Amino acid sequence: MSRGKAASALDLPRPDTLDAGKQQGAYEALRAAILNRQLPAGSRLPSTRSLAERWRVSRGTLETAYERLQEEGYVQRIAGSGTRVCAVIPEHFIAAPRPHHMPRRPVQPDRPYADVQSHVPFVARRPDAGLFDMKAWARCLSRGLLAAGPGALEASHPAGVPELRTQIADYLRRHRGMHCEADEVIVTTGIRHALDLIARTLLNPGDTACVEDPGYPPARRLFELAGAGVQAVPVSADGLDTTQLPDVARLVYVTPAHQAPLGMTLSVSRRLALLDWAARAQAWVVEDDYDSEYNYQSAPLAALKALDSGDRVIYCGSFNKNLFPGLRVGFMVVPKALRRSLLRTLHLTGHSVGASDQLGLVELLGSGAFVRHLRASRQAYLARRDTLLECLGGHGSVTGQQAGLHFVLWLPTGTEEADFCARAASVGLTLQPLGAFCHEARLPPAVIIGYTALTLAQIRYHGRALAALCQ
């Protein structure tokens, strides 16, 4: 490309969003320019000094915006070469209608591993219920019930208590970057309940359902129970390999925030490619926002659903991994075309969430206590992760430790996972082999290490035993 022909952020007018918040406004303006291909892949951004002069903001503000774009995979910054766009935007995504601001709609009442234990080293995917303030929860339950009155216990809301759906939608808008409304939310008992509803509603015998490989075993089993043929799609360093998706499929299940179990984040380019594939195949994308609240190095990417201009993503979340496992409250954000059929399935199965827990969560979310709990637990889990990594002292390679409730410990070449887990069991350690999450994938030997439900004392004691096994 000849000099002067490449798109430049200097060609962009000063965005109005800068007046509301300079760092966020600059980030959103540059991100939008990339997604709209005003700044196409390979184009070079100006220096932060030049753009700061044009947009009349500080250079530090733009440095922060550039760093965030780099962390999220939109741009690449190379010393001596400047900053260039690296996200690949599919043509179909550019042509799709963009989300636009809509006035808030009032919510109308709707009408017609059981063996996994906490505090066992190093069982994965378990939160520490001891970090949750049960006295505060009791007060939330009491206030929620008293505020709602006896009528709330008699009313039937198949999609969930309207006040809770309002709080969930507000949380997702503020913290997961999603454009959603309360009437798009359906309350469930958790991720597996959501997957079961999706499988019962969308899948017919002979349909193809795609899952990550390695991936979350219950998703495969639930899709198979619905009679679907399940296709394993390999995972690479950038997450699900979208080039391996079939031309025809009914749905694909993904864990983009912290891939289960490998722990990588689905890159921006692959997120856009996945949405492009879903639009072309007329398929649904089931997003399990697994571990998104626990990122220890930087702010997490917005949800995949935040990019879903075609309304093809069914977003699934859960409070069970954030508060305590026995809560059994989760939720889905459902495309408009599927809402009626999913509610019909939910009503038929009768598997809805009790009103008292929902009303308690209304108080917990509305008071800000939920976000405060997330901050406190994130700090506690970070300290536990760092302590365990220090105990390992470089014995074995570790990946996926930047976020979530577990990481992957890769074993020496030639190690048999079953033998390693048996030796670990002899010294009181319960490990999950990576092979148990694989269907067709053949990966080097590794085990999944959970640390969040352990005390620091437990981690130090058992961490030394784990390190000794790796020597």
Side-chain angles (χ1 to χ4, degrees), residues 196 199-200 203-205 218-230:
D196 184 42
R200 290 172 185 263
L203 295 177
N204 295 309
R220 165 177 285 277
R221 296 193 202 102
L222 287 167
F223 297 157
E224 288 174 340
L225 285 174
V230 180

Side-chain angles (χ1 to χ4, degrees), residues 376-387:
S377 57
R378 190 182 298 119
Q379 290 300 313
Y381 296 159
L382 173 61
R384 296 172 192 188
R385 183 207 67 173
D386 290 347
T387 300

Side-chain angles (χ1 to χ4, degrees), residues 327-369:
L327 178 61
R328 311 316 308 161
V329 182
F331 51 90
M332 296 188 290
V333 178
V334 179
K336 182 179 180 180
L338 300 179
R339 185 171 183 271
R340 186 182 298 274
S341 56
L342 279 166
L343 281 175
R344 190 182 303 119
T345 303
L346 179 60
H347 179 73
L348 179 64
T349 60
H351 197 187
S352 56
V353 179
S356 58
D357 282 342
Q358 293 190 62
L359 293 170
L361 280 169
V362 170
E363 292 292 323
L364 191 76
L365 288 164
S367 67

Side-chain angles (χ1 to χ4, degrees), residues 67-83:
E67 286 297 325
R68 184 172 173 186
L69 289 168
Q70 177 178 251
E71 291 170 358
E72 296 183 357
Y74 290 99
V75 303
Q76 186 176 25
R77 308 188 76 182
I78 302 176
S81 180
T83 302

Side-chain angles (χ1 to χ4, degrees), residues 252-272:
V252 58
Y253 167 81
V254 292
T255 53
H258 189 239
Q259 199 274 335
L262 294 180
M264 73 280 289
T265 298
L266 187 64
S267 70
V268 171
S269 295
R270 290 206 175 169
R271 289 174 186 236
L272 298 176

Side-chain angles (χ1 to χ4, degrees), residues 281-296:
Q282 290 296 288
W284 302 103
V285 178
V286 182
E287 177 183 11
D288 180 351
D289 203 24
Y290 178 71
D291 279 357
S292 64
E293 295 85 0
Y294 296 108
N295 193 298
Y296 307 122

Side-chain angles (χ1 to χ4, degrees), residues 53-88:
E53 292 177 357
R54 179 176 178 84
W55 281 5
R56 302 191 303 278
V57 297
S58 71
R59 187 179 179 187
T61 292
L62 290 175
E63 281 289 343
T64 300
Y66 276 36
E67 286 297 325
R68 184 172 173 186
L69 289 168
Q70 177 178 251
E71 291 170 358
E72 296 183 357
Y74 290 99
V75 303
Q76 186 176 25
R77 308 188 76 182
I78 302 176
S81 180
T83 302
R84 294 185 180 273
V85 176
C86 63
V88 179

Side-chain angles (χ1 to χ4, degrees), residues 112-134:
Y113 306 101
D115 57 342
V116 175
Q117 299 177 355
S118 299
H119 307 297
V120 176
F122 288 96
V123 171
R125 306 185 306 280
R126 301 294 285 183
D128 185 357
L131 295 175
F132 186 58
D133 188 343
M134 295 304 294

